[in-house]
Amino acid sequence: MDERIAGLDAENLDAVPEYRVFPKSWGAEYTAAGEVRFRIYASGVEALSLRLADEQVPMSTTADGWFELLATNVPPGTPYRFVLPDGGQVPDPAGRALESDVHGASLVVDPTAYSWKASGWKGRPWSEAVIYEIHVGTFTEEGTFAAAAERLSGLKDLGITTIQLMPVAAFGGRRGWGYDGVLLYTPHPAYGEPADMKAFIDKAHGLGLMVMLDVVYNHLGLDGNYLEAYAPDLFMDEGTPWGPRPDVTRKPMRDFVIENALYWLEEFALDGLRFDAVDRIEDQTSDIHIMEEMALRIRDALPGRHVHLVVEDGRCITALHERAEDNSVRLYDAVWNDGYHHLIHAWATGEHGGHFKVFAQDFWPRIGKTLATGFALQGEKIAEKGDELVGEPSGHLPLVTFINFLQNHDQIGNRGRGDRLWSNIEPDLAARLMAMLLLSPQIPMVFMGDEFQSKGRFFFFADYPADFDQNTPEDRLRQGEAFGSADLTLDEIRDPTDVATFSDSKLDWQEAETEEGVKVMAEFRNLLQKRHEHLMPLLRDIGGGVGHVLTAEEGLLAIDWQLGERRWQLRCNFSDDEATLPPVHGQTIHVMPGEAEADIRDLSRFAPRSLIIACG
C-alpha cells in the first residue's frame, strides 16, 4: 500500500493534514503508487470486463457477486467503464469523478492529491450552528463550487456559521435539485471537479464556517441509474415516483450507503450530513436499523471532530435524538422542524390548504408549544392518519435538537410559482418573524437570499430526457396545491426542463445592493451579532425541559427558557392592539419597534406589532 495512505486515520490527521482518503470497498482505489484495484458488485451478470483507457480486460469474479481487477501504471485522470455482457458500458457507481456525465466514463482519482490548507480545523459545537442552505447551481450566475467560494466571506461577516449544500451527487443532465442522484460518490460535474468541492470546503473552514451536505438514501434517481440493471437484487420491488429504493437489508447496498456517508465526511472534510426523508428508508428486518448503525459507525470512525448529523423525518419521533446520560449526542444532533414552518406560514399567509391544513388552527398555542418544547405534533390525531397518534412528546430534548426555518428549497420550489415568503407578507411582519427565528434557542436555518429577503423565484427545475414521463404539469400542479398554492392554475406551471426555469431560479445578488436589501441585510447581521454575543454561550450543554409558555393566544406570546442560570425571554404582541403580557426582566437584547430599552423593559403593556427579547 502507498505509504502516503497507510496509517491515515482520524487519530493522526494532524500528522499528515494534506492527505485525506476513505478506502471504499466499492470502486477504484489506489493500493500503491500507480496500482489501482477496481471492484464492483454485479450479481445480475455472469461476466464483466473493465475498459481502462483504450484497453478492455476481463474481471475476475467471486461467488457472491463481486468482480475485481488489479491494474498497474494507472495515472490519475484515466477514464474507465465497466462493460456488461451485452456490450453496454457503464460508469462506476462509486467513482470519484466523471469524464463528462453520468452516461459516460468515470475517471481514476488520487484522493490524496488535494493539499488541505485548514488542516487544524476540527469544526464547531452544534450550539453555534446558524445554517444557510444553498443550491450550488443557482447560488451564483456561474453555478460552480469556485464561484460559490467567493461568496463565503460575505456570509461569514453576516454571522452565518454553517453552509448546507443541497445534494451534489451526480445526476442525469446538467441542472436539477440533486435529489435524483445516481452516482453517490461523484460530485456533479457541472459544479466542478472533486478538487473544486474540496477547495470550497477548505476555504469555508479557513473562515471558521462549517459545511454540511444533503445526502439521499431513500431512493436513487432514474436517469443514469445503471446499477439497477446489473445488480437488481440491491433494490426493493416497489419503487418511488422519483426512482427505485435501495434495499439496505442487502449487505452490499448497506455498505455502499454507509461508506458513502463516511466517504463524504472523511475525504471531503465535511462537518456533517443532512439525511433526506429518513422516514422513507425501510429496514424492518435488520438487527439494527441502518440509520442507527449509520450514526454509530460515523461517531466511532471520526473521533476528535465536531461531526453533526441531521435528519428530515416527518414522523416527529424522538428515538434518533435521545441523548446519552451526560447529555452528549448519541446518534443524531437535530431534525428539520417542519411543524414550526407550517404553523408560521399558515398564520402569516392565510394559506390553510394542502399540508398546512393540519396546522390551520390554534396557531399561537401551538407556536408557543413548538418554541418551548420542540415538535408541533406531539401525539395528536389528524384526519389523514385516522386514529393513529402523530408525533411524540419532545420537551425533554435539548432545544438545539430542532432546526427551525421560515422557508427552505422545498417550501419555495414546490409551490408552483416559486414565490418566496417575502413576496406574500408585509416587510414589518417579515422583520418580526426573522427576529423570532434568529433569537430563539432552536437552531435557525435560512435559505439563500433570505438575508436580504430576496423576492426572486426559485422553481423546481430538472434536465430529464425528453422521453421521461416524470413531473408532468399535472404532477406539479398537485404538488403546488399541497404546498399552499390553492389558486394555482395549470397554465402557470413552468416546464422544469426548460433552461429558462433554471436560469430564472438563480439568486439575483443585485437585490442585496438595493436600498431595501442593504437595510434588511444590516438588520439580519445585527440579529446574528446578538445571537453570537448573548444566546450562543447559553446553549452549549443545555438539556431539555427548559422552555415554559406563559402566554399563548391569538397574536400574543410569552415564553421563558431557563438556560443555566440565565432566563431567556420572548414577548410578542403581533396583534393590532396594545396588550398585557408578563413583563421581562434583566437586559433587553432586542426590541421591535425600536423604542428606548429603558422605557419598555419593565412594562407589562406591549405596543401593537412588537417583539422583545430579554435575558435575566
Side-chain angles (χ1 to χ4, degrees):
M1 179 177 289
D2 189 333
E3 64 182 14
R4 294 180 307 168
I5 299 175
L8 181 65
D9 55 34
E11 293 183 356
N12 64 4
L13 278 175
D14 286 337
V16 274
E18 67 270 30
Y19 304 129
R20 299 185 71 96
V21 57
F22 179 79
K24 306 181 275 91
S25 62
W26 287 68
E29 296 297 306
Y30 275 104
T31 60
E35 181 180 271
V36 179
R37 182 216 68 198
F38 297 88
R39 190 167 188 261
I40 185 173
Y41 181 82
S43 58
V45 298
E46 295 182 356
L48 203 66
S49 297
L50 176 71
R51 185 166 187 82
L52 186 61
D54 296 325
E55 184 179 3
Q56 186 166 316
V57 185
M59 301 182 73
S60 60
T61 183
T62 61
D64 57 1
W66 287 95
F67 291 81
E68 292 189 12
L69 176 70
L70 189 65
T72 57
N73 299 318
V74 183
T78 303
Y80 68 99
R81 299 189 196 187
F82 298 108
V83 184
L84 304 176
D86 63 2
Q89 300 186 21
V90 298
D92 183 353
R96 289 182 169 88
L98 286 167
E99 189 173 45
S100 56
D101 59 28
V102 298
H103 303 289
S106 298
L107 297 176
V108 174
V109 172
D110 178 1
T112 67
Y114 183 83
S115 180
W116 290 87
K117 299 177 179 63
S119 57
W121 175 259
K122 299 296 183 182
R124 301 177 65 151
W126 180 242
S127 56
E128 296 180 2
V130 177
I131 303 172
Y132 186 91
E133 186 189 22
I134 75 169
H135 176 271
V136 175
T138 56
F139 182 55
T140 63
E141 185 61 34
E142 299 87 346
T144 62
F145 291 120
E150 296 304 309
R151 291 282 177 184
L152 289 174
S153 60
L155 297 180
K156 183 265 180 74
D157 291 343
L158 282 174
I160 298 296
T161 66
T162 310
I163 308 300
Q164 181 171 297
L165 302 174
M166 287 174 63
V168 303
F171 52 86
R174 287 187 57 80
R175 56 192 180 275
W177 278 15
Y179 292 92
D180 50 358
V182 290
L183 302 180
L184 301 189
Y185 291 74
T186 309
H188 189 57
Y191 301 157
E193 299 177 355
D196 295 322
M197 182 174 174
K198 292 176 181 179
F200 171 87
I201 297 166
D202 204 5
K203 183 170 183 177
H205 289 169
L207 292 167
L209 297 171
M210 297 187 284
V211 183
M212 299 179 68
L213 176 64
D214 199 336
V215 292
V216 185
Y217 301 135
N218 58 82
H219 71 277
L220 265 68
L222 292 167
D223 185 20
N225 179 20
Y226 296 103
L227 180 57
E228 192 178 22
Y230 54 82
D233 60 316
L234 296 186
F235 294 88
M236 304 183 74
D237 293 335
E238 183 180 350
T240 76
W242 310 280
R245 291 189 297 170
D247 185 351
V248 295
T249 67
R250 302 277 296 131
K251 188 177 188 308
M253 179 57 82
R254 198 177 188 91
D255 290 344
F256 184 79
V257 168
I258 293 177
E259 287 184 8
N260 182 250
L262 288 165
Y263 159 82
W264 287 118
L265 290 166
E266 174 55 55
E267 206 154 291
F268 287 78
L270 284 162
D271 300 280
L273 301 172
R274 180 265 191 188
F275 296 85
D276 180 67
V278 300
D279 49 327
R280 297 175 184 168
I281 299 176
E282 292 190 21
D283 188 21
Q284 282 81 17
T285 61
S286 300
D287 293 338
I288 179 174
H289 193 282
I290 187 171
M291 293 311 299
E292 182 175 359
E293 182 181 353
M294 175 84 72
L296 293 174
R297 287 275 299 275
I298 290 170
R299 302 291 179 202
D300 181 64
L302 301 172
R305 288 171 53 187
H306 291 289
V307 175
H308 307 302
L309 306 179
V310 169
V311 297
E312 179 192 31
D313 187 346
R315 297 170 296 180
C316 297
I317 62 173
T318 64
L320 296 177
H321 310 289
E322 299 292 351
R323 297 299 184 101
E325 290 185 4
D326 62 356
N327 199 39
S328 63
V329 174
R330 177 177 174 268
L331 299 176
Y332 292 87
D333 298 75
V335 57
W336 274 25
N337 198 11
D338 285 333
Y340 179 81
H341 165 271
H342 297 346
L343 285 167
I344 295 292
H345 185 97
W347 176 80
T349 66
E351 295 180 350
H352 296 169
H355 62 213
F356 299 121
K357 183 178 179 180
V358 173
F359 303 89
Q361 56 185 343
D362 300 327
F363 291 114
W364 288 94
R366 298 171 85 180
I367 292 170
K369 179 178 73 172
T370 301
L371 283 170
T373 63
F375 291 130
L377 299 175
Q378 299 189 28
E380 299 180 28
K381 289 184 180 181
I382 61 177
E384 291 81 354
K385 297 290 185 178
D387 291 332
E388 179 184 348
L389 296 180
V390 178
E392 298 174 348
S394 57
H396 64 289
L397 296 175
L399 295 166
V400 293
T401 305
F402 305 95
I403 298 173
N404 288 352
F405 46 90
L406 297 175
Q407 56 190 354
N408 59 37
H409 71 275
D410 266 330
Q411 307 300 336
I412 304 170
N414 285 326
R415 288 174 55 77
R417 299 187 180 99
D419 51 324
R420 300 178 186 237
L421 177 66
W422 319 123
S423 298
N424 298 311
I425 63 174
E426 293 297 320
D428 169 68
L429 176 57
R432 281 177 279 135
L433 292 177
M434 184 60 77
M436 190 163 70
L437 175 74
L438 298 183
L439 291 179
S440 290
Q442 290 77 11
I443 298 298
M445 182 176 77
V446 298
F447 187 65
M448 59 183 194
D450 281 352
E451 68 274 30
F452 51 86
Q453 292 183 13
S454 170
K455 306 288 195 307
R457 307 277 175 163
F458 182 77
F459 296 100
F460 175 77
F461 48 83
D463 194 13
Y464 298 128
D467 59 348
F468 264 47
D469 182 22
Q470 194 173 31
N471 283 292
T472 65
E474 291 77 14
D475 292 335
R476 299 309 305 172
L477 179 62
R478 286 190 291 270
Q479 187 86 303
E481 291 170 343
F483 279 76
S485 299
D487 60 344
L488 187 67
T489 60
L490 198 58
D491 61 0
E492 292 182 272
I493 301 297
R494 296 285 295 263
D495 178 1
T497 65
D498 187 342
V499 68
T501 305
F502 168 68
S503 298
D504 291 346
S505 297
K506 287 183 178 288
L507 188 59
D508 182 3
W509 286 96
Q510 291 184 353
E511 285 186 276
E513 299 172 4
T514 65
E515 181 179 353
E516 181 64 20
V518 169
K519 175 184 174 183
V520 170
M521 200 148 53
E523 182 59 16
F524 186 90
R525 181 184 293 108
N526 176 46
L527 289 168
L528 285 184
Q529 286 176 345
K530 292 177 177 180
R531 183 179 184 91
H532 279 259
E533 180 180 354
H534 299 288
L535 182 54
M536 279 185 188
L538 305 179
L539 294 178
R540 186 181 287 201
D541 299 326
I542 289 296
V546 301
H548 307 281
V549 179
L550 308 180
T551 301
E553 54 190 77
E554 185 56 37
L556 305 178
L557 194 60
I559 301 176
D560 285 357
W561 295 276
Q562 192 64 43
L563 306 180
E565 296 181 356
R566 307 298 299 276
R567 185 168 24 140
W568 194 259
Q569 303 151 71
L570 167 68
R571 302 291 184 268
C572 296
N573 176 13
F574 281 15
S575 75
D576 294 328
D577 302 307
E578 189 179 76
T580 300
L581 288 170
V584 295
H585 303 281
Q587 179 186 5
T588 50
I589 305 299
H590 192 70
V591 179
M592 300 177 71
E595 290 94 343
E597 295 177 1
D599 294 336
I600 198 166
R601 178 168 51 186
D602 296 319
L603 298 180
S604 60
R605 298 291 293 173
F606 290 80
R609 301 185 180 189
S610 63
L611 175 146
I612 297 177
I613 298 287
C615 185

